[in-house]
Amino acid sequence: MVQGKAGEAHDNSNYALDRLRELLRAGELGSEGRLPTERTLTDMLGISRRAVRRALEVLESEGLIWRRQGSGTFIGERPSDWSNHLGAIVAGTDFMEIMEVRLRIEPQLAQLAAMRAKPADIAKMHEIALKIIESTDADARELWDGTLHRLIAQSAGNQLFLSIFDVINRVRQDEAWRAIRERARSSGNAVNISFAQHQSIIEAIAARDPVRAGEAMREHLLMLQERLIRATSLSPAEQGPLSQVS
């Protein structure tokens, strides 16, 4: 531990900043992304608390750490307020509201993807579409379906649109939503029809046909919306084996 002449902790803010930078680079600070308290850092490094606090202010201004009142100090950039409210937004939204928003946004994303998607993006879309239909359980199907739709959104090349899409896509993590979607997919020939629709969307994107891509996406989402309505409106007795999906 570095001490001053009188046994006091080192009171040099630049020194404190250098030491903290070294430890952050080496990954030696932070359990589960959380930094030790200022008091702990003071004792650990032999640096005065004032110097530690000043160094932390610099690191925060550089986006290397962020602090939340009452919770502590964390490594990395501060999450946006939008991200902090995502859970509440999703919890207060039902599937019909989600589908209404998807129907307004995703056809436009498909149109933009038709103009901006790279050949590698399109090849990846085809690969993912195959993974969806080859999946043998609901969790895998939901994972790959979300991945395909996000890749289309990402290929649109509009970061704000992508951020909005990610908010909508967060609902996929909800167990109730996954159960409803699986019931909807289990009815009739839904998986094969969905695969054919995904292929139509991808082919329109590959053909650089924004109008066709947008319409294909709209048709796909309308089918899903209709099946979701049916899945949630049937009684357990009418659902039969589908009511056992969890």
Side-chain angles (χ1 to χ4, degrees):
M1 185 182 297
V2 180
Q3 302 287 336
K5 290 182 180 179
E8 297 294 328
H10 203 298
D11 195 26
N12 184 306
S13 298
N14 278 318
Y15 174 79
L17 183 60
D18 286 343
R19 290 289 292 118
L20 289 172
R21 282 193 201 282
E22 288 174 8
L23 293 172
L24 285 172
R25 279 195 296 266
E28 296 179 13
L29 279 181
S31 173
E32 298 181 354
R34 186 194 299 265
L35 264 67
T37 64
E38 289 181 5
R39 182 185 299 276
T40 301
L41 289 171
T42 295
D43 295 340
M44 184 193 325
L45 303 176
I47 303 171
S48 75
R49 192 162 183 175
R50 181 178 67 172
V52 168
R53 185 177 297 115
R54 288 176 175 174
L56 290 174
E57 287 175 0
V58 173
L59 294 174
E60 185 175 20
S61 72
E62 294 175 348
L64 296 176
I65 63 169
W66 63 280
R67 289 183 273 190
R68 178 182 292 159
Q69 186 69 28
S71 298
T73 304
F74 303 86
I75 298 171
E77 294 185 1
R78 177 186 297 274
S80 66
D81 290 339
W82 181 254
S83 297
N84 292 337
H85 295 303
L86 275 180
I89 292 171
V90 171
T93 304
D94 63 36
F95 82 89
M96 282 302 297
E97 291 176 339
I98 292 291
M99 290 309 303
E100 286 174 1
V101 176
R102 290 188 69 182
L103 277 162
R104 299 305 182 277
I105 291 177
E106 291 196 57
Q108 279 65 46
L109 288 170
Q111 289 178 357
L112 290 172
M115 294 186 285
R116 299 171 180 171
K118 298 177 177 63
D121 295 329
I122 295 167
K124 192 67 177 176
M125 289 176 198
H126 281 297
E127 290 177 16
I128 295 171
L130 284 173
K131 287 183 180 294
I132 297 169
I133 198 167
E134 291 170 355
S135 298
T136 58
D137 62 86
D139 182 65
R141 278 194 296 272
E142 191 68 15
L143 173 67
W144 289 114
D145 186 85
T147 302
L148 175 60
H149 281 264
R150 192 182 191 281
L151 178 56
I152 293 170
Q154 189 173 359
S155 299
N158 185 308
Q159 188 59 45
L160 181 56
F161 254 147
L162 182 60
S163 296
I164 296 170
F165 174 87
D166 282 340
V167 174
I168 301 166
N169 211 34
R170 270 286 300 275
V171 80
R172 291 176 181 270
Q173 298 175 19
D174 184 83
E175 291 296 328
W177 170 260
R178 291 172 62 184
I180 293 170
R181 280 181 61 94
E182 184 57 18
R183 286 208 302 270
R185 283 202 189 98
S186 300
S187 60
N189 196 29
V191 173
N192 288 326
I193 293 173
S194 182
F195 175 72
Q197 290 177 339
H198 281 154
Q199 290 295 101
S200 295
I201 296 166
I202 298 167
E203 287 166 6
I205 292 171
R208 306 299 179 190
D209 189 335
V211 174
R212 183 154 62 94
E215 186 55 33
M217 179 64 81
R218 182 173 177 276
E219 180 182 344
H220 173 60
L221 294 174
L222 283 172
M223 183 202 74
L224 175 59
Q225 183 183 50
E226 180 184 354
R227 290 180 179 274
L228 286 170
I229 292 170
R230 289 180 181 177
T232 53
S233 62
L234 295 177
S235 68
E238 290 172 317
Q239 290 172 9
L242 299 183
S243 64
Q244 302 303 313
V245 179
S246 60

